[in-house]
Each structure stands twice: as structure tokens, then as C-alpha cells.
């Protein structure tokens, strides 16, 4: 507003200056023209005329003087008539010229009068001579002329010269004045032109700047009106016209601006709210005198979509006179949606907070339950020292409760690491067949307690050795299978199926794992929350009391961290199905060393199993190996195929028979096959997961070997090689054998153990001294540093270092030991044994100079393996 006022004043000032300049130039030009005209008039009617008359008068007088002198010189009066005529002409013409000079001469009047007097005197004297010519002859005439006429002639000449001199000065003056006038006019014209030019340039620049500002403002208004989230309109109350409508009206409201310009009420017809109807009526009646805002649901006429909009009408008045309405229409859909999201988030946060409080209460109960068992069984054992069986039972229950308590703590730690984003996935080699076999062995006891039926469909993995996190994969499957057991009623069915698929990347494989049950299932509402923290569907109190509500959350996060997906299908009272798909890198290993011998041995295999999926998996595996295979689903079909192959001269060398076939048919099938084939046929029984609980004695059957489920490639091929390949060929193969459990011995090894908790130190002492180690104890880092610094060079073989200790912590003590000026300070292995179990704690231990990290509670095999590797191989840089 201020800039507009300044521009208006500047514009008025420029116009005023231009007006003054025009008036001044006009006045100067007119006045100069008048003066110049007067000067030219004077020049034309006075000096030039008088000068001409003066020159003619001098000529007349001079001619007359010559004639008088000629007359006096000739002393003759023969030319008296000629002199008379000349005198008449002089009188006539001289008088005329004198009259002109008398009228026009601007000089002193006396000069003209003297000139006239001299002229008349000459006329009189010459008249006297002509009247008495005899008296003016000879010397007398000459003397008369000299004495009387020549002075008059000279006087007239002098007077005319004075007049001409005056006339010349006048002409010069008028010329000078005219030149000054012309120059003044020229300079005035030039000044005006320059001034006008400057003003025009200034005006042009000012107009250009204002044009640019207007164009820029128009551009901004266009951008604003096109992209703003609100539609603005200006309605002129007096002219009853919509003066302006934002260009975004069609985008936001579905109404073209031209429609709103011509129909001011078109805006209100797509809202059905009574408040909007009353607002439209007040708008049409022009009775709105203060700002009014209304909200309503608006139906877009183009898209037919509904949205929330806000109407606002602002009256513009001048001196209490209503002039215009400014109408603002804003889309509130996003704001309403965000408000709903915030409300939902608040509700979710409140629910999560309540769930967390409930979780903490449950966790307190869950933790106290195994603690109560540990403390109670410890008390019972202490009072039953004479009852070995009672003590053994108490120790077993203490061990089980301790493991359950450790599981709870691990779940809590996993949740904390996942939520903090510090959870890491390992990338190590593992055998997927072994993992699946161990997994089934872990869950079978619990399933038997509830009389569940387990169906396992596993392929003979083409790639047994994979790179990945076997511990987390096992944790994922245990969580899902445990839930299936927990939420499946007694006598229910649970299935585990694994499908091996080609990976999307080179040298990779994908495992699709499906776990199904016919348990209580889940409602659709709970399926949306199953992977949220602390959520549980409280449908059975028994199942709820045995769960912490963290398993599925941890499972979902672990699957995502392993770049996999998990899908849930469930119906209430019909069961649940979990599908997990995880990618793994294949660990490249050489083929079975006897693969060629097996392919060249003429081996033919018969696979007998009641499960078609298992038969198809076996057929696919042997086909890839290049070994012919047939399969049968029953003992009768197996015998028929064996007989047919024998008759065709292509009998089987090996029969792989599932244990369930033996349970159904007793020894009949093996007896009949041996009677048919004799020793040419080797029978291998595929043993079930819980073979130890079966009542059939394997020794009663004429079989050549057992293979556990799931079938593993290496054990299967090794057994086939032993049964079918010649001894000579077999001796050239390097067959894999199951290694016996390692025996640990640390005889003669000196170990410096550092821990401030006496019970921890006692456990370490017992675990290691039983295997021959010599233990030196320290209760804090400072004490350990002093012991090591004062010991002989190379005295200690390894240091077991706790982290959180008084006086000096483990990190500081390790750094201080590494900085000692002795050779073994830099090379002695230091293993962290601490309850700081996060991945960042492992990194801190490494940065402090430690070689290895073992989390508490201590797992003896893990400790023994680490010590053996460091003490027997002198390893110095092993990482967990």
C-alpha cells in the first residue's frame, strides 16, 4: 500500500514537471518568436530602408556636385538647362529620400534635420547660381562652390555616414539579438527535448517496472489460484457480479471458474447441509454483515467423490457501506483424515500403553514362575541330601526352569534390540537338513504331551549347506510351531512343509516354509494386530498364561531383517497357516566324492512311502543325481514293481522304505523282498523323528541301515556308496563320517579369570578345573591388571574378562593390559564373558582389544570350544 502511494505521488510529480516544462517552453518560444519578428520587422522597415535612402541621397548629392563642378570648370552656360533638370531631379528624389529617412530613421532626430537643412541649403545655393549664371563663371564660380557648396556637400556626406554608422550598429544589435533569440529557442528546444526524453525514459522504466510487477503479481496470483488448496472468489454486492474466481476451482470443486462467475449460487448446490442452505440464502439476500464459516460434506460434480470442505464468507465494507464478499472454500479432507489418524494413533498408543502395562504384569508373573521353581527346587534339594533321586529330580527341574527363564530374558533382549534398530543378522554356514531334523526333535516331546499328530514334508535338499543365520531361522520356526502346539487342542494336527525354490539372485535359494494347524485359529480383527507388540487374543486363558505376546513380533521382525516375508491365513475355530519365505546364499561345496561311482555302478532305487509329496521329492533328487528311481505308495505296490523289474532283468539294488510301511505290514514286506531279490537288494529304513518311542524292534527286520528324517543328501549318498560301490572304488572316495562329541582337556593351561560376582567365579572355576585348567582369580579389572603385570612373561595362556566391575571395568582393564610394555600383553587372548549381550557390546569389546565375546549365562560347550580354539591353535582374532 505504501509503495502504491509513493508511485502515485511520483507519477503526479512527473506530470507536473512535464506541464511546467511545456508551459515554460511555450512561453519562451512565443516570446522569442515575437521578439524575432519585431527585429525582422525593424530590419525590414527601418535600418535597411534608411540605409538605402542614405546611399541614394549621397548618390544624388554626389552626381549633383559633379555636375556643378563641371559647370564651373567649363565656364559655359550651355548646360544650364541640364543643371536645371538635375536640380529638379535632386529636389524630387532627394526630398523623397529625406522624407523616408525622416520617417524611418531611428537615430537622433537632429541628424535628419541637419541633413534636411544642408540639402535645402544646397538647393538654394544651386538655385541662385542657375538664376544668375553670369555671376558664377570662372574662378568666381569655383570659389563660390568651394566656399559655400562643398562644405554642404561634405556635411551631408558626414551626416549620411553617421546615419549609416548608426544603421550598421542597429543592424548588428538586431542581428545579435536575433541570434541570441534563436540560440535561446534552440537551447530551450534542446533542453525541453532532453528533459522530455529523460522524463519519457523515466516514465517508460517506471511503467515497465510497474508492468513487470503487475505481470509478476499476475503470475503469482495465477500460480496461487492454480495450486492453492483453497478457492477464493470476490463478489461485488453493488453490481451483483462475481468479479474474480481462483483458477483452481475446477480442480478442487469440480466447477469451472466461468460457471461460478455467471452463477454465484452454483457453489452451494452440491452441499446438502442445512447450515450451507441458510448460508446460501443469506448470501443471495446480501444480509451477511460479519464473517461466517461453515463445514459440510461436498459432492464433486465431476468425480462424484465426497470430501469435507469449509465455506467462509468475509464482508468488505467502506464507511458501513457493504461493497463486496470474499468467499473462501478450503478442502478439509486431508486435515480430517490426519485428525482421524491422530485420533487412531492416540487410541493405538493408549492401547499399546495398556498392553505394555499388562505385558509387564504378565512378564513379572512369567519371570517369577521359573524363579519360584528354581528357588523351590533348590530348597527341596537342600533338605533332601540323602535322597539321590529327589536331588536329581530337583536339578532337572531347576535346569528346565533356568532355560525357560533364559528364553524369557532373550525374548526381552531381542525386543529391545529390534526396537532400538541394533539387531544384527549373522551370515554363517549351516546345514538346513540338520536344522530341520533338530527342530522336529525339539518340538516332538511337547506335541506328544498334547497327543498331536505331526506331518512333515521336507525335500531332499539340493543345497544343504547355506549361508545365513541358522539360530534366527530356528527361532522363527520354533516360535510359529510353539504357537501351533499351544493353540491347537489335544489330538489336533500340525504340519510342517518346506519347499526348496530357485533364488532370484545367482547362487541363491529360497525356502518356502508352511506351518499349518487345525487349532482355535484367529479372528480377522486379531490378524491385523498379531504382529504388534504386546498384543494377544484372549480367547483361552490357559494359552494366554503360557505366552508373553512377543513371539510373533520378534518373528515378523526377524523375517524382515532376513529379507523375507511372512503371510498368515486363519479363521476362528478352523486353524491357522503361516507361510514364511526366506532367501539364502548357497554355500558352494564339492559334490559327493562317490557321485561318479554311484552313477556308474548301475544303481537302481525303489522308494516306498505313503506320502506322495515325499516320493516326488525323492524322485526329483535322484533324477538330478542321474540315478534311476521308482516309487511305490504301499508294500503291495512295492513288491509288484520289484517283481516286474526282476523279470525284466533290471532289478533294484536299494529299497528305501518308510518306517510307517513296516508298522502297517510287519516283517512281511522285507521278508518277501529278500526272498525275491536275496542279498542283491539292500533295504534301508527311513526312520521316523521319534523312533525311540516306537514299539517295533528294528533288529527284527532284515534291513541294511537306517536314515533319519528328513533325508539329508550327504548321509544318504554315503550310505548308498557303502552298500553298492566296490571296496576298491570306495577306498578312493573320501566319505564323510559323523564326528564323535569332542573331548576337552585344558591340562597345564593357566587361565586368569576376572569377575566380581562370587557365584560366577565359582561356576567358572568348577567348569574349567574339571578339565585340568589352572585358574587364577581376580575380582576387578585393577586387580587383574596388577596380577598380569607382575606375572612372568608368557605365564598366562588366556584371560576371561567380565565387563561391569567395581574399581576398573573390563574394557579399561583390557586397554591397560594391551598397553603394557611386554610382548605377551599384545598377543594374549582376552575373552569377554559378560551379560552385555547386544551387538554393540560385542563391537565395544573388539574395540577395547578383546578377541572374543561370550554372553552370560555361560553355555559350557560354547566356552570349551572357544578355549580349545584359542589354546590349541593360538588363534588371536576369532569373532562370535
Amino acid at each position: 500500500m505504501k509503495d502504491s502511494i509513493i508511485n502515485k505521488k511520483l507519477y503526479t510529480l512527473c506530470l507536473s514537471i512535464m506541464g511546467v516544462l511545456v508551459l515554460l517552453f511555450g512561453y519562451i518560444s512565443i516570446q522569442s518568436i515575437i521578439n524575432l519578428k519585431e527585429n525582422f520587422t525593424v530590419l525590414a522597415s527601418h535600418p535597411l530602408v534608411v540605409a538605402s535612402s542614405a546611399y541614394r541621397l549621397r548618390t544624388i548629392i554626389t552626381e549633383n556636385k559633379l555636375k556643378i563642378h563641371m559647370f564651373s570648370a567649363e565656364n559655359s552656360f550651355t548646360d544650364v538647362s541640364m543643371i536645371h533638370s538635375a536640380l529638379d531631379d535632386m529636389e524630387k528624389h532627394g526630398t523623397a529620400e529625406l522624407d523616408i529617412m525622416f520617417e524611418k530613421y531611428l537615430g537622433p532626430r537632429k541628424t535628419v534635420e541637419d541633413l534636411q537643412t544642408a540639402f535645402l541649403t544646397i538647393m538654394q545655393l544651386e538655385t541662385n547660381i542657375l538664376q544668375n549664371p553670369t555671376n558664377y563663371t570662372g574662378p568666381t564660380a569655383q570659389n563660390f562652390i568651394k566656399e559655400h557648396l562643398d562644405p554642404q556637400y561634405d556635411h551631408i556626406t558626414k551626416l549620411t555616414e553617421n546615419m549609416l554608422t548608426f544603421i550598421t550598429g542597429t543592424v548588428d544589435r538586431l542581428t545579435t539579438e536575433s541570434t541570441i533569440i534563436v540560440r535561446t529557442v534552440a537551447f530551450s528546444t534542446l533542453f525541453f527535448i532532453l528533459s522530455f526524453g529523460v522524463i519519457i525514459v523515466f516514465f517508460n522504466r517506471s511503467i515497465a517496472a510497474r508492468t513487470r510487477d503487475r505481470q509478476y503479481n499476475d503470475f503469482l496470483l495465477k500460480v496461487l489460484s492454480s495450486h492453492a488448496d483453497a478457492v477464493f472468489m470476490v463478489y461485488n454486492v453493488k453490481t451483483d457480479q462475481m468479479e474474480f474466481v481462483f483458477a483452481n476451482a475446477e480442480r478442487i470443486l469440480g466447477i469451472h471458474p466461468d460457471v461460478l462467475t455467471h452463477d454465484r449460487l452454483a457453489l452451494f448446490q452440491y452441499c446438502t447441509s442445512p447450515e450451507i442452505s441458510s448460508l446460501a440464502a443469506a448470501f443471495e439476500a446480501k444480509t451477511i454483515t460479519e464473517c461466517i464459516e461453515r463445514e459440510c460434506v461436498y459432492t464433486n460434480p465431476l468425480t462424484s467423490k465426497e470430501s469435507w470442505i469449509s465455506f467462509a464468507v468475509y464482508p468488505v465494507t467502506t464507511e458501513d457501506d457493504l461493497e463486496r464478499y470474499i468467499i473462501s472454500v478450503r478442502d478439509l479432507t486431508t486435515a480430517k483424515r490426519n485428525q482421524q489418524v491422530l485420533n487412531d494413533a492416540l487410541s493405538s498408543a493408549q492401547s499399546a500403553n495398556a498392553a505394555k502395562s499388562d505385558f509387564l504384569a504378565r512378564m513379572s508373573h512369567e519371570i517369577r514362575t521359573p524363579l519360584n521353581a528354581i528357588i523351590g527346587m533348590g530348597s527341596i534339594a537342600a533338605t533332601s541330601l540323602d535322597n539321590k533321586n529327589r536331588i536329581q529330580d530337583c536339578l532337572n527341574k531347576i535346569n528346565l526352569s533356568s532355560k525357560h527363564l533364559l528364553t524369557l530374558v532373550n525374548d526381552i533382549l531381542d525386543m529391545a534390540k529390534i526396537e532400538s534398530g541394533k539387531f544384527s543378522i549373522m551370515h554363517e554356514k549351516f546345514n538346513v537338513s540338520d536344522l530341520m531334523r533338530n527342530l522336529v526333535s525339539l518340538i516332538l516331546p511337547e506335541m506328544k504331551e498334547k497327543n498331536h499328530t505331526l506331518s512333515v514334508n521336507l525335500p531332499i535338499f539340493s543345497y544343504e549347506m547355506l549361508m545365513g543365520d541358522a539360530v534366527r531361522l530356528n527361532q522363527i520356526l520354533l516360535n510359529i510351531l510353539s504357537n501351533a502346539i499351544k493353540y491347537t487342542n489335544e489330538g489336533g494336527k500340525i504340519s510342517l512343509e518346506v519347499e526348496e525354490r530357485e533364488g532370484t539372485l545367482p547362487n541363491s535359494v529360497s525356502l518356502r516354509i508352511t506351518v499349518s494347524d487345525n487349532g482355535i485359529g484367529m479372528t480377522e480383527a486379531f490378524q491385523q494386530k498379531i504382529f504388534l507388540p504386546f498384543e494377544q487374543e484372549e480367547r483361552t486363558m490357559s494359552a494366554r498364561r503360557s505366552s508373553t505376546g512377543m513371539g510373533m513380533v520378534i518373528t515378523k521382525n526377524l523375517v524382515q531383517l532376513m529379507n523375507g516375508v511372512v503371510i498368515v491365513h486363519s479363521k476362528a475355530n478352523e486353524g491357522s497357516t503361516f507361510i514364511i519365505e526366506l532367501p539364502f546364499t548357497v554355500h558352494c561345496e564339492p559334490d559327493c566324492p562317490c557321485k561318479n561311482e554311484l552313477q556308474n555302478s548301475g544303481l537302481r532305487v525303489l522308494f516306498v512311502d505313503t506320502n506322495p509329496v515325499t516320493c516326488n521329492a525323492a524322485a526329483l533328487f535322484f533324477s538330478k543325481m542321474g540315478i534311476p528311481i521308482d516309487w511305490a505308495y504301499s508294500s503291495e505296490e512295492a513288491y509288484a514293481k520289484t517283481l516286474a523289474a526282476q523279470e525284466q532283468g533290471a532289478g533294484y539294488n536299494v529299497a528305501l522304505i518308510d518306517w510307517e510301511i513296516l508298522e502297517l505290514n510287519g516283517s512281511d514286506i522285507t521278508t518277501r523282498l529278500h526272498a525275491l531279490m536275496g542279498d542283491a537288494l539292500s533295504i534301508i529304513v527311513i526312520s521316523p523323528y521319534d523312533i525311540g518311542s516306537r514299539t517295533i524292534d528294528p533288529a527284527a527286520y532284515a534291513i541294511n541301515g537306517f536314515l533319519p528324517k528328513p533325508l539329508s543328501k550327504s548321509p544318504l549318498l554315503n550310505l548308498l556308496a557303502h552298500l553298492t560301490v566296490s571296496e576298491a572304488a570306495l577306498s578312493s572316495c573320501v566319505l564323510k563320517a559323523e564326528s564323535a562329541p569332542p573331548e576337552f582337556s585344558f591340562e597345564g593351561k593357566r587361565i586368569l579369570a576376572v569377575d566380581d560376582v562370587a557365584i560366577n567365579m565359582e561356576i567358572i572355576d568348577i567348569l574349567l578345573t574339571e578339565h585340568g585348567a589352572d585358574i587364577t582369580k581376580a575380582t576387578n579389572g585393577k586387580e587383574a591388571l596388577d596380577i598380569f603385570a607382575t606375572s612372568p612373561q608368557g605365564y598366562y595362556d588366556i584371560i576371561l574378562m567380565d565387563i561391569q566391575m567395581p574399581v576398573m571395568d573390563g574394557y579399561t582393564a583390557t586397554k591397560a593390559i594391551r598397553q603394557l610394555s611386554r610382548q605377551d600383553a599384545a598377543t594374549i587372548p582376552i575373552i569377554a564373558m559378560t551379560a552385555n549381550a547386544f551387538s554393540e557390546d560385542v563391537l565395544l569389546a573388539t574395540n577395547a582389544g578383546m578377541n572374543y565375546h561370550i554372553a552370560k549365562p555361560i553355555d559350557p560347550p560354547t566356552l570349551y570350544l572357544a578355549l580349545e580354539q584359542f589354546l590349541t591353535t593360538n588363534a588371536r582374532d576369532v569373532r562370535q
Side-chain angles (χ1 to χ4, degrees):
M1 184 67 182
K2 184 177 180 181
D3 292 339
S4 176
I5 295 174
I6 292 174
N7 290 334
K8 186 174 181 180
K9 289 184 178 179
L10 186 61
Y11 180 75
T12 304
L13 178 61
C14 291
L15 287 179
S16 301
I17 293 174
M18 289 181 65
V20 171
L21 288 176
V22 169
L23 292 176
L24 181 61
F25 177 75
Y27 173 77
I28 293 174
S29 298
I30 294 172
Q31 191 63 38
S32 298
I33 290 171
I34 293 173
N35 293 337
L36 191 62
K37 181 179 179 181
E38 290 178 354
N39 288 346
F40 281 127
T41 301
V42 171
L43 287 173
S45 61
H46 292 281
L48 298 179
V49 174
V50 174
S52 297
S53 298
Y55 278 115
R56 287 194 295 271
L57 181 61
R58 287 179 62 180
T59 301
I60 293 171
I61 296 300
T62 301
E63 289 176 353
N64 185 266
K65 180 180 177 180
L66 292 173
K67 289 178 179 180
I68 291 297
H69 277 281
M70 289 175 61
F71 172 75
S72 62
E74 293 177 356
N75 294 320
S76 173
F77 290 94
T78 56
D79 293 326
V80 172
S81 59
M82 181 187 67
I83 296 302
H84 270 290
S85 177
L87 184 60
D88 291 338
D89 289 339
M90 184 183 73
E91 181 180 9
K92 177 181 177 181
H93 296 294
T95 302
E97 299 300 334
L98 283 172
D99 291 340
I100 291 172
M101 287 187 287
F102 191 88
E103 180 183 357
K104 303 295 185 180
Y105 182 58
L106 299 177
R109 181 58 54 184
K110 186 175 183 304
T111 301
V112 180
E113 291 174 353
D114 291 344
L115 185 61
Q116 189 175 22
T117 300
F119 180 79
L120 292 174
T121 301
I122 291 172
M123 288 290 297
Q124 185 63 44
L125 291 174
E126 289 183 355
T127 300
N128 291 334
I129 292 174
L130 291 176
Q131 289 178 355
N132 299 298
T134 57
N135 294 330
Y136 297 96
T137 60
T140 304
Q142 292 178 356
N143 290 332
F144 181 81
I145 291 172
K146 184 178 181 179
E147 291 179 0
H148 296 284
L149 286 175
D150 284 344
Q152 294 300 324
Y153 291 146
D154 294 339
H155 186 56
I156 288 176
T157 299
K158 184 177 181 180
L159 288 173
T160 54
E161 288 179 355
N162 291 338
M163 291 181 68
L164 290 173
T165 301
F166 178 80
I167 289 171
T168 301
T170 300
V171 171
D172 291 343
R173 178 177 61 79
L174 292 176
T175 301
T176 302
E177 289 179 357
S178 298
T179 301
I180 293 172
I181 291 171
V182 171
R183 289 178 178 175
T184 301
V185 172
F187 281 119
S188 299
T189 302
L190 180 62
F191 174 75
F192 176 77
I193 291 173
L194 292 175
S195 300
F196 195 72
V198 169
I199 293 174
I200 288 176
V201 169
F202 178 79
F203 266 18
N204 286 337
R205 290 185 177 180
S206 177
I207 291 173
R210 295 180 64 186
T211 301
R212 286 194 301 270
D213 291 342
R214 185 176 63 254
Q215 291 175 347
Y216 181 68
N217 290 334
D218 292 342
F219 168 75
L220 291 180
L221 183 59
K222 182 178 179 181
V223 172
L224 179 63
S225 65
S226 300
H227 298 86
D229 292 331
V231 181
F232 284 91
M233 292 163 279
V234 179
Y235 170 70
N236 193 315
V237 174
K238 295 183 178 180
T239 62
D240 196 24
Q241 294 291 326
M242 193 71 77
E243 294 180 330
F244 179 76
V245 179
F246 262 22
N248 60 352
E250 187 171 14
R251 175 174 60 85
I252 295 177
L253 302 174
I255 305 176
H256 196 275
D258 293 342
V259 175
L260 292 173
T261 301
H262 294 92
D263 184 5
R264 64 183 186 276
L265 298 179
L267 182 66
F268 301 99
Q269 63 184 355
Y270 300 103
C271 293
T272 57
S273 172
E275 293 184 348
I276 298 301
S277 301
S278 62
L279 176 63
F283 179 83
E284 187 174 11
K286 304 174 185 178
T287 57
I288 301 175
T289 57
E290 60 183 12
C291 176
I292 297 178
E293 294 188 22
R294 297 289 186 271
E295 293 181 4
C296 73
V297 176
Y298 180 82
T299 302
N300 190 303
L302 290 180
T303 63
S304 299
K305 292 184 178 179
E306 291 187 347
S307 60
W308 275 93
I309 64 171
S310 168
F311 282 97
V313 180
Y314 304 91
V316 179
T317 59
T318 303
E319 296 180 356
D320 297 331
D321 186 14
L322 181 63
E323 291 190 351
R324 287 174 175 82
Y325 286 139
I326 297 177
I327 304 101
S328 169
V329 183
R330 292 185 297 115
D331 189 344
L332 299 179
T333 305
T334 302
K336 289 284 186 179
R337 187 182 298 115
N338 291 339
Q339 183 178 0
Q340 184 62 41
V341 170
L342 291 175
N343 291 336
D344 292 344
L346 177 60
S347 177
S348 177
Q350 291 173 342
S351 299
N353 187 51
K356 183 176 290 187
S357 299
D358 184 51
F359 162 76
L360 292 175
R362 292 199 308 271
M363 286 305 300
S364 175
H365 175 270
E366 292 292 331
I367 292 174
R368 288 175 182 274
T369 299
L371 282 177
N372 180 64
I374 293 170
I375 295 172
M377 289 298 105
S379 300
I380 293 172
T383 59
S384 306
L385 297 178
D386 296 333
N387 190 338
K388 184 177 180 180
N389 293 332
R390 175 65 63 83
I391 293 176
Q392 184 63 45
D393 180 64
C394 290
L395 291 177
N396 290 336
K397 291 178 179 178
I398 289 173
N399 185 43
L400 290 173
S401 299
S402 300
K403 290 182 178 180
H404 178 59
L405 180 61
L406 180 60
T407 300
L408 293 174
V409 173
N410 286 336
D411 282 348
I412 296 173
L413 292 177
D414 285 343
M415 282 293 296
K417 286 189 287 184
I418 290 171
E419 291 182 350
S420 64
K422 298 177 180 179
F423 198 93
S424 59
I425 296 297
M426 306 300 291
H427 194 68
E428 298 176 335
K429 179 177 69 173
F430 71 96
N431 188 303
V432 64
S433 295
D434 292 344
L435 184 143
M436 293 298 172
R437 188 180 302 111
N438 295 333
L439 175 68
V440 173
S441 299
L442 283 173
I443 63 172
L444 275 176
E446 188 176 358
M447 294 184 66
K448 289 179 180 179
E449 290 181 2
K450 297 185 71 173
N451 196 25
H452 287 158
T453 300
L454 176 63
S455 173
V456 180
N457 294 319
L458 302 177
I460 304 176
F461 293 99
S462 300
Y463 307 104
E464 284 190 321
M465 302 308 297
L466 303 179
M467 298 296 295
D469 198 327
V471 174
R472 298 308 175 186
L473 175 58
N474 190 70
Q475 182 178 357
I476 291 170
L477 298 180
L478 274 178
N479 282 343
I480 295 177
L481 286 168
S482 297
N483 271 2
I485 296 169
K486 189 184 306 177
Y487 295 105
T488 300
N489 296 325
E490 189 170 350
K493 296 181 180 180
I494 298 173
S495 68
L496 170 64
E497 180 178 347
V498 179
E499 180 182 356
E500 187 181 40
R501 297 183 171 187
E502 290 296 328
T504 57
L505 298 176
N507 198 33
S508 68
V509 67
S510 176
L511 296 183
R512 184 181 179 90
I513 306 167
T514 304
V515 177
S516 302
D517 64 69
N518 62 349
I520 65 173
M522 292 176 283
T523 62
E524 291 186 4
F526 181 70
Q527 289 181 54
Q528 305 299 321
K529 302 185 293 181
I530 185 174
F531 295 119
L532 296 178
F534 317 117
E535 292 290 344
Q536 287 182 295
E537 188 175 24
E538 193 171 345
R539 298 173 63 200
T540 59
M541 290 302 296
S542 60
R544 181 183 183 279
R545 283 195 295 268
S546 61
S547 175
T548 62
M550 294 188 296
M552 287 297 99
V553 184
I554 295 173
T555 297
K556 176 67 175 293
N557 282 276
L558 289 177
V559 170
Q560 290 179 339
L561 288 172
M562 297 173 71
N563 298 317
V565 293
V566 55
I567 303 172
V568 181
H569 301 292
S570 182
K571 288 186 177 180
N573 301 317
E574 294 186 15
S576 302
T577 298
F578 285 81
I579 302 173
I580 304 105
E581 190 155 347
L582 295 168
F584 294 95
T585 303
V586 175
H587 179 74
C588 296
E589 287 191 340
D591 289 335
C592 172
C594 293
K595 178 180 178 181
N596 294 331
E597 286 73 8
L598 286 171
Q599 292 175 341
N600 298 328
S601 65
L603 177 65
R604 288 179 58 81
V605 176
L606 175 65
F607 193 87
V608 187
D609 197 301
T610 58
N611 191 332
V613 175
T614 306
C615 292
N616 290 332
L620 180 62
F621 170 75
F622 282 105
S623 297
K624 289 182 178 180
M625 292 293 296
I627 299 174
I629 182 175
D630 285 329
W631 62 88
Y633 300 128
S634 66
S635 59
E636 292 300 326
E637 186 180 0
Y639 182 80
K641 286 194 173 184
T642 304
L643 178 60
Q646 176 69 13
E647 292 175 350
Q648 295 173 3
Y652 301 116
N653 308 96
V654 174
L656 297 170
I657 304 176
D658 184 64
W659 184 268
E660 291 184 3
I661 298 292
L662 298 184
E663 285 190 312
L664 291 174
N665 299 279
S667 62
D668 179 65
I669 182 60
T670 58
T671 302
R672 294 175 67 190
L673 289 178
H674 273 298
L676 181 63
M677 298 295 298
D679 294 336
L681 178 66
S682 298
I683 298 178
I684 300 174
V685 174
I686 305 173
S687 61
Y689 312 104
D690 56 346
I691 190 171
S693 64
R694 302 301 175 102
T695 59
I696 300 177
D697 183 7
Y701 300 90
I703 59 178
N704 300 91
F706 284 93
L707 283 175
K709 286 186 177 181
L711 287 176
S712 298
K713 182 170 66 174
S714 297
L716 173 60
L717 295 179
N718 285 338
L719 182 56
L720 290 176
H722 278 288
L723 294 175
T724 60
V725 179
S726 65
E727 292 296 330
L730 189 60
S731 62
S732 64
C733 300
V734 180
L735 297 177
K736 297 180 181 178
E738 293 292 333
S739 59
E743 292 292 337
F744 300 104
S745 176
F746 308 119
E747 194 70 35
K749 301 300 182 182
R750 299 186 183 94
I751 300 176
L752 175 58
V754 189
D755 201 307
D756 63 312
V757 180
I759 187 65
N760 291 342
M761 184 64 74
E762 183 178 354
I763 293 171
I764 294 172
D765 185 42
I766 295 173
L767 290 176
L768 296 182
T769 53
E770 286 182 350
H771 291 270
D774 183 8
I775 304 298
T776 302
K777 304 174 184 178
T779 57
N780 59 66
K782 180 65 170 60
E783 185 177 344
L785 175 62
D786 294 338
I787 292 174
F788 182 80
T790 57
S791 66
Q793 180 80 20
Y795 181 81
Y796 290 106
D797 297 288
I798 198 167
I799 299 176
L800 303 178
M801 182 73 71
D802 188 23
I803 299 301
Q804 294 186 7
M805 296 180 292
V807 183
M808 181 182 290
D809 62 75
Y811 297 140
T812 306
T814 300
K815 292 177 182 178
I817 290 173
R818 295 299 189 201
Q819 294 172 359
L820 292 175
S821 58
R822 47 188 287 171
Q823 185 177 355
D824 60 346
T827 60
I828 185 170
I830 302 178
I831 297 178
M833 289 200 312
T834 173
N836 297 350
F838 290 141
S839 57
E840 61 268 22
D841 298 317
V842 178
L843 180 61
L844 288 173
T846 302
N847 293 337
M850 297 182 179
N851 303 87
Y852 200 64
H853 182 282
I854 298 176
K856 292 180 180 177
I858 297 171
D859 179 44
T862 302
L863 174 60
Y864 295 153
L865 286 171
L867 288 175
E868 183 180 53
Q869 185 163 4
F870 279 101
L871 294 176
T872 59
T873 64
N874 295 321
R876 290 294 183 265
D877 191 25
V878 178
R879 296 289 181 266
Q880 187 177 11

